[in-house]
Amino acid sequence: MKVKYIGTLLLAVLTFFGCDDNTGTLGIDMLPGSDGISAHTTTFEVETKSVPAGAVYAKTSTGYVGKFTDPDPNGFGDYEASFLTQLNCTDNFTFPKLYQYDEKTKTGSGIMAGDSVVSTQLVIYYSSWFGDSLNACRMSVYELNGDKELTKGDAYYTNINPENYYDKYSPKLLGRKAYSAYDTSVPDSVRNATDASGNKTFYPNITFPQSKEFGKRILELNRAFERKENDFFANAENFIKNVFKGVYIKTDYGDGTILYIDRVDLQMQFRFHYVNDTTGVKLKKKNSDEDSLYYSMNTVFASTKEVIQANQFQNSELLQKKIDEKGYTYIKSPAGIFTQATMPYDDIYKELSQDTLNAVKLTFTNYNQEDKYKFNMSAPNDVLLIRKQDLKTFFEENKVVDNVTSFTVTHNNVATNQYTFRNIARLVTTCINEKQAAKKKAKEEAGTAWDEAAWEEKWKSDEATKDWDKVLLIPVNVIYDNTSQNKNITGIQNDLQPGYAKLKGGPEGESLKLEVTYTRFNK
């Protein structure tokens, strides 16, 4: 009687695990106290291998530009980064009004001195980079002028082809400029200058001056919008479609530096009148009949989170050689290599179906990475463990970990050099329940024609279920809500910065150990 009772316990207990990671006592209080219990720990082997990350979902507010070649001759080869971005237009945007004077009221309105643009420039701001700060590079910026447009609602991956968005046969080159990440021409007095609050006022940037015709066209279209002759500035969508589709930014010279672009601004300079605050009348220069004038450069359109930014990464063929290595596995960013693990769910169910799972621990240990070269990639700080079948929707739907089928941990690079998932019991129970429920349903439908061996074979080969026991270890960037004391996760993105870790395991390496703690009722 007792054996039969316990045999039915697993599915119930596994289904109703609580909402925290400590599941050690669940199910115990439900049984009579006379049934003694004992705790045990056992291990199961986990097979791992390196798999190509392929194109990854690249929703991020950072643009990456540059080329970097792994200095290790037996390393990962090179990769090149470029990106496309739109510029945002605030709703019903208008430029400052031209100064006008009313003789009757003796008052003035507007401040622009002449209805023209003094100068226009595209400014690319960055605050950090990877690699050689003094490396000589060259950047090119193209206006998006292709037939295809970046469209909200579409998912953009790192294999995006920029040539679909700008005409490579008739490109609109907005500028080409040599640069180094650390601009030595900027004096220390400027680089270290601060405002009254102690904040630095210098923001590293690369500036591309534009023609007067470029700015004039935008101003004239905006004046027509004020006259209600078009709707081009009613919102960002109309602006992007009719005025400026965006830019493609790439490197075409230099190897060894990746810039992390924070923002792209389109700035326009105008000439303005100083006016009386009360009457709006133009002020005169001291001891002169000339008007007091000043010039101001304003950011009028900028890349923001409200518009689309898409990164492209191109890895060399050497990446595949690292994937093919058998005695260990790798994780490599950006858009490089994931580690795939095959979980022993069937073995766990077969051995422990009469018991209660309390904790399941999985550890990925990485080898020490020597700093043999001046610019070395370090191990990714955060990783995501997720079911392989959930990978696409997780990032596209901007999900965060649920600690059921997805988990994150931070690299312990001080004590153990490991990524340790301390309790993934819910993942194990969820997947076991999923298969057992599907098998039960299929058996009921088949009746006397039930063939368990055939069903198992179909389960392993069917497109919908073949990855049922596969999980991926992925480098990620975890975003936290810094306004909360609890440090809640608000977003998880694919890590697009250079990094890698060489992990123990692999097809010809030592299998990882899945450590399972369970309780068993004494017979």
Side-chain angles (χ1 to χ4, degrees), residues 232-284:
F232 296 171
F233 298 82
N235 51 52
E237 184 178 353
N238 288 8
F239 171 79
I240 292 166
K241 183 177 181 179
N242 299 286
V243 182
F244 192 74
K245 292 183 178 181
V247 293
Y248 170 50
I249 302 173
K250 61 171 292 188
T251 182
D252 52 23
Y253 177 83
D255 185 354
T257 310
I258 303 292
L259 289 185
Y260 302 158
I261 307 299
D262 299 324
R263 200 176 76 234
V264 178
D265 288 0
L266 181 60
Q267 300 177 347
M268 302 176 78
Q269 185 182 48
F270 301 96
R271 188 173 60 165
F272 297 102
H273 289 288
Y274 283 105
V275 297
N276 184 288
D277 291 340
T278 303
T279 64
V281 175
K282 291 186 290 185
L283 299 179
K284 302 292 184 180

Side-chain angles (χ1 to χ4, degrees), residues 429-475:
T429 58
T430 296
C431 295
I432 288 176
N433 284 342
E434 182 180 289
K435 181 177 180 181
Q436 294 306 312
K439 180 184 285 189
K440 180 181 178 182
K441 181 180 178 182
K443 186 175 181 179
E444 290 173 351
E445 292 175 348
T448 58
W450 171 246
D451 185 335
E452 185 170 354
W455 185 87
E456 286 283 354
E457 188 61 34
K458 184 175 184 298
W459 178 265
K460 293 176 182 178
S461 60
D462 190 272
E463 191 67 30
T465 55
K466 67 179 183 179
D467 292 325
W468 161 78
D469 58 351
K470 305 293 190 301
V471 293
L472 295 172
L473 188 71
I474 302 172

